[in-house]
Amino acid sequence: MSSSCSGLSRFLVALAIALVSASSSCPQAWGPPGVQYGQPGRSVTLCCPGVTAGTLVSWFRDGETRLLQGPDSGLGHELVLARADNADEGTYICRTLDGALGGMVNLKLGYPPSRPVVSCQAADYENFSCTWSPSQVSGLPTRYLTSYRKKTVPGADGQRMSPSTGPWPCPQEPPGASRCVVHGAEFWSQYRINVTEVNPLGASTRLLDVSLQSILRPDPPQGLQVESVPGYPRRLRASWMYPASWPRQPHFLLKFRLQYRPVQHPAWSMVEPAGLEEVITDAVAGLPHAVRVSARDFLDAGTWSAWSLEAWGTPSTGSLPKETPAGGQPHMHLEEELQADSPASPRPSLLPDLQPLVHRDPLEQVAVLASLGIFSFLGLAAGALALGLWSPKPVETQEDFS
Ligand SMILES: *[C@@H]1O[C@H](CO)[C@@H](O)[C@H](O)[C@H]1NC(C)=O
Ligand SMILES: *[C@@H]1O[C@H](CO)[C@@H](O)[C@H](O)[C@H]1NC(C)=O
């Protein structure tokens, strides 16, 4: 009887030890050595480092003599705190019965990872980057694993879908930044970005589907310059360059929009220039103007860039008749000027300025055309008289800069 009893108890002890060792030894949390982690309000299990699993130990708070948990707890080398709170953070000491072995554990409380907030952006048509931020502060050391797959795309035969490929790592650039970059992306492909927040209490993944052509947002144009046009008190010439981040390729052009206003007026006027230059023809004479430009993929992929830095310019104040001395010389001078463009000041006042037609809205254009019609007899006659002295062409049309 007694032998069978002792046999059973020996079996149970062996089983208990086996179970403890199976679940045993301190889990290797990453982060600073000697620190273990738990969550406020939850039960936390601390593990005595430096002893083999199942070794009976006593637990103390550092600097206190009060026994927290004795060797008879049945928990072996572990200490269980039923409901951890902030007061439980700090250093714990564990010691074997003979005091020969033991260790020190630092308990830190925090929260498991939450799914990070991820967004992706592209300033050119080959590379895009994704940035993220925690959706909740965990208070614990945290790292992010970043990867991407190319999603299913129509197969070569147009019918079958080829399987998604990857995952490939999305390298974090610079290391440790909350940003990773996908280089050499295909403009029309769909990508699935995986940003996984990891901390000692777990991992949480956010997946985001992106395509380059929908997130494309060029950087603003650079080098914006505004110049007056001598002799034209209502004109300003603006020019700019592609953003440096946008390598120019025949298949990937940018289009632009330009805004301008006298600096003391709040409302912008806007035009969509065709190239890298625009002549504003309805500036307010004598006032400084602010000008800014933004860019977008020529085929409307993605969105408009931010506005460039503003550049300022004031239309030229000098008018040609004042600049030229009275006498025979002005004829030559005006002739030359007319080759280039129509000067604003010597134009007969009855005739509306045709130049701004280019960028006026249609209603306004109709109004201008109607008034042109009314003036066509009286105005042109008077204009021809006034102009007859020096010009066969009463009004220069906008063949340039349109
Ligand atoms: C994409 O990134 C690579 C490496 O940084 C760079 O060489 C390449 O010019 C970029 N592509 C475009 C279109 O900007
Ligand atoms: C996302 O990345 C994590 C970490 O690399 C990985 O464990 C997980 O399986 C990935 N999830 C998906 C859906 O790809």
Side-chain angles (χ1 to χ4, degrees), residues 145 147 149 194 196 205 207:
L145 304 177
S147 61
R149 285 175 182 279
N194 173 341
T196 300
T205 295
L207 300 175

Side-chain angles (χ1 to χ4, degrees), residues 347-365:
R347 191 176 288 148
S349 58
L350 272 176
L351 284 174
D353 184 353
L354 270 181
Q355 210 64 34
L357 267 182
V358 186
H359 298 126
R360 282 192 181 156
D361 65 40
L363 261 182
E364 202 176 348
Q365 293 189 12

Side-chain angles (χ1 to χ4, degrees), residues 144-147 149 167 192-198 203-207:
Y144 293 87
L145 304 177
T146 46
S147 61
R149 285 175 182 279
R192 174 160 289 178
I193 309 297
N194 173 341
V195 179
T196 300
E197 183 175 317
V198 185
S204 182
T205 295
R206 170 83 63 186
L207 300 175

Side-chain angles (χ1 to χ4, degrees), residues 223-229 234-241 255-260 269-283 290-294 341 355-360 398 400-402:
L224 175 62
Q225 287 187 327
V226 182
E227 300 162 339
S228 60
V229 184
R234 301 204 60 196
R235 294 192 177 190
L236 284 170
R237 184 195 309 273
S239 60
W240 56 92
M241 293 181 298
K255 62 178 189 177
F256 302 95
R257 57 183 183 177
L258 177 144
Q259 286 190 331
Y260 58 99
S269 302
M270 187 156 81
V271 294
E272 293 214 357
L276 291 166
E277 181 182 278
E278 177 72 8
V279 174
I280 297 161
T281 54
D282 56 355
V291 176
R292 58 187 192 176
V293 276
S294 89
D341 201 347
Q355 210 64 34
L357 267 182
V358 186
H359 298 126
R360 282 192 181 156
Q398 62 273 24
D400 55 344
F401 309 122
S402 54

